[in-house]
Amino acid sequence: MKAMFIDTPGQVSIKELPMPVPKKGEALLKVLYGGICGSDLGSYRGTFAYFSYPRTPGHEFSAEIIEIEPNDKGLEKGMIVTCNPYFNCTECYSCQRGLVNCCTTNQTMGVQREGAFAEYITMPIERIYDGKGLSPKTLALIEPFCISYHGVTRANVTKDDKVLIIGAGTIGVLAAVAAKALGADVTICDVAPKKLAYAQETFGIDHILLNDDPETFMDKVQEATGGNGFDVAIEAVGLPSTFQNCIDAAAFGGRVVLIGVGKQNLDFNFTLIQKKELNIFGSRNALKKDFLQLIDLVKEGKVDLDKIVTNTYKFDDAAAAFADFDKNAASMLKVIFEF
């Protein structure tokens, strides 16, 4: 079979590998669609904190079950599914308390362990979720929606909140969609006008804020909130400057959520956290319940995830897909592979 590798920063190849053989408790899956995550792009660029080379990327995907043993999950050969790609140790303090998404030795597919961008993979049966008739393309988008949704729920967003999302990439846009689904008044912020326009026109996000000048950012925040700041500010970029934006833009007594991942250190006046009595939440991965809830939500027609896709490539064109995304990240949103 064929498998994709990021060999070194900027270098993607397709290699021949032996077919995987499922162990006891695993199923053999044929991958159908896979999405390039912002972390995959960061791995390609050499900027993602957790990636090591060479490695098969990919943790957003849908697949067909090819082989599976009898199980109590109702999963059968031929079903179209998606999967939970975060492998937890089951033994650390986090896992003992049920916080499996932030396992101290977490291994996410395509990051700390081999990913899904291959023609065939094996997966533990307990990590496979019935797609309930959703299309393979749509199912490949459930995982990034889970990341966004989990971040929004960390802040306990309600219909009374004014929410700022910084970052109009896939995770930021889907966080805005999730916040809107909970009834909040949502503003999405980015440096790329095209992405902001796409988010507002395609998903009906309430307001946009172009972050094109650090000197005027807070003026725009004050104007948007009547001088109060945002009840919730969610960072979905992974840069010190955008986390600082969230700290600055949050209202006194507000909530800040960090979803973005980066390598750079932050140097800022941390006393602002005390002065505003901010509640700051990290958000890592997602939980099984997030996957199951969102599969149902999309199945009910409440969110059209397919609108997030701006570009589709064949699996064999992986090198071109990553190169194009790297050069045109300001205008490309979700890039997916068709296997």
Side-chain angles (χ1 to χ4, degrees), residues 143-338:
E143 190 277 342
F145 195 17
C146 285
I147 295 292
S148 304
Y149 178 79
H150 185 78
V152 169
T153 58
R154 290 282 287 150
N156 294 314
V157 170
T158 72
K159 62 180 179 60
D160 298 319
D161 288 325
K162 288 185 179 293
V163 177
L164 175 68
I165 311 288
I166 297 190
T170 298
I171 299 303
V173 170
L174 291 179
V177 170
K180 270 193 66 67
L182 294 171
D185 183 78
V186 182
T187 298
I188 192 164
C189 171
D190 203 280
V191 298
K194 289 183 179 179
K195 282 190 172 181
L196 290 176
Y198 188 83
Q200 188 168 49
E201 294 167 7
T202 306
F203 292 98
I205 306 306
D206 299 302
H207 317 284
I208 59 176
L209 194 159
L210 180 62
N211 192 8
D212 58 345
D213 183 358
E215 300 298 321
T216 62
F217 172 76
M218 280 305 298
D219 292 335
K220 295 177 180 179
V221 168
Q222 299 285 57
E223 182 179 353
T225 63
N228 295 324
F230 288 92
D231 302 296
V232 178
I234 298 177
E235 202 283 341
V237 179
L239 291 174
S241 60
T242 45
F243 182 69
Q244 180 73 68
N245 287 156
C246 286
I247 297 291
D248 293 337
F252 280 62
R255 290 102 76 196
V256 174
V257 181
L258 178 64
I259 302 177
V261 179
K263 282 185 172 181
Q264 300 177 46
N265 292 330
L266 177 65
D267 181 11
F268 75 112
N269 179 10
F270 62 86
T271 302
L272 196 57
I273 296 174
Q274 180 272 338
K275 181 180 180 181
K276 288 187 172 184
E277 196 177 67
L278 296 178
N279 299 280
I280 299 181
F281 302 88
S283 180
R284 188 176 189 187
N285 300 332
L287 294 164
K288 177 179 179 178
K289 67 177 183 178
D290 298 321
F291 282 85
L292 300 183
Q293 287 174 3
L294 295 186
I295 288 171
D296 286 341
L297 186 72
V298 176
K299 177 69 175 176
E300 292 165 6
K302 295 181 179 179
V303 177
D304 186 356
L305 280 186
D306 289 1
K307 291 179 179 179
I308 204 78
V309 177
T310 56
N311 304 82
T312 303
Y313 290 80
K314 294 294 186 182
F315 173 66
D316 288 336
D317 296 328
F322 273 98
D324 290 348
F325 200 9
D326 180 39
K327 294 174 184 175
N328 302 292
S331 58
M332 296 168 71
L333 197 54
K334 173 53 64 181
V335 179
I336 63 171
F337 291 112
E338 182 178 18

Side-chain angles (χ1 to χ4, degrees), residues 34-174:
I36 299 180
C37 178
S39 61
D40 295 322
L41 182 59
S43 300
Y44 175 80
R45 290 171 167 172
T47 60
F48 187 54
Y50 304 132
F51 193 84
S52 58
Y53 305 87
R55 189 174 299 285
T56 296
H59 54 264
E60 308 172 0
F61 64 97
S62 61
E64 177 185 354
I65 298 176
I66 302 300
E67 295 178 20
I68 192 167
E69 63 191 52
N71 61 87
D72 60 0
K73 313 288 185 188
L75 298 170
E76 300 176 352
K77 179 180 178 180
M79 292 178 67
I80 307 301
V81 298
T82 190
C83 301
N84 183 329
Y86 327 118
F87 284 71
N88 61 294
C89 72
T90 74
E91 298 176 354
C92 71
Y93 188 45
S94 297
C95 288
Q96 290 173 22
R97 291 178 293 153
L99 306 173
V100 296
N101 61 305
C102 53
C103 168
T104 57
T105 55
N106 169 79
Q107 290 192 344
T108 297
M109 292 176 66
V111 182
Q112 296 96 344
R113 64 191 293 138
E114 296 308 310
F117 288 176
E119 291 180 307
Y120 295 88
I121 61 171
T122 58
M123 283 292 292
I125 293 171
E126 64 182 16
R127 296 184 170 279
I128 301 173
Y129 306 139
D130 179 5
K132 296 187 176 180
L134 292 177
S135 74
K137 181 179 177 182
T138 301
L139 278 176
L141 304 171
I142 291 293
E143 190 277 342
F145 195 17
C146 285
I147 295 292
S148 304
Y149 178 79
H150 185 78
V152 169
T153 58
R154 290 282 287 150
N156 294 314
V157 170
T158 72
K159 62 180 179 60
D160 298 319
D161 288 325
K162 288 185 179 293
V163 177
L164 175 68
I165 311 288
I166 297 190
T170 298
I171 299 303
V173 170
L174 291 179

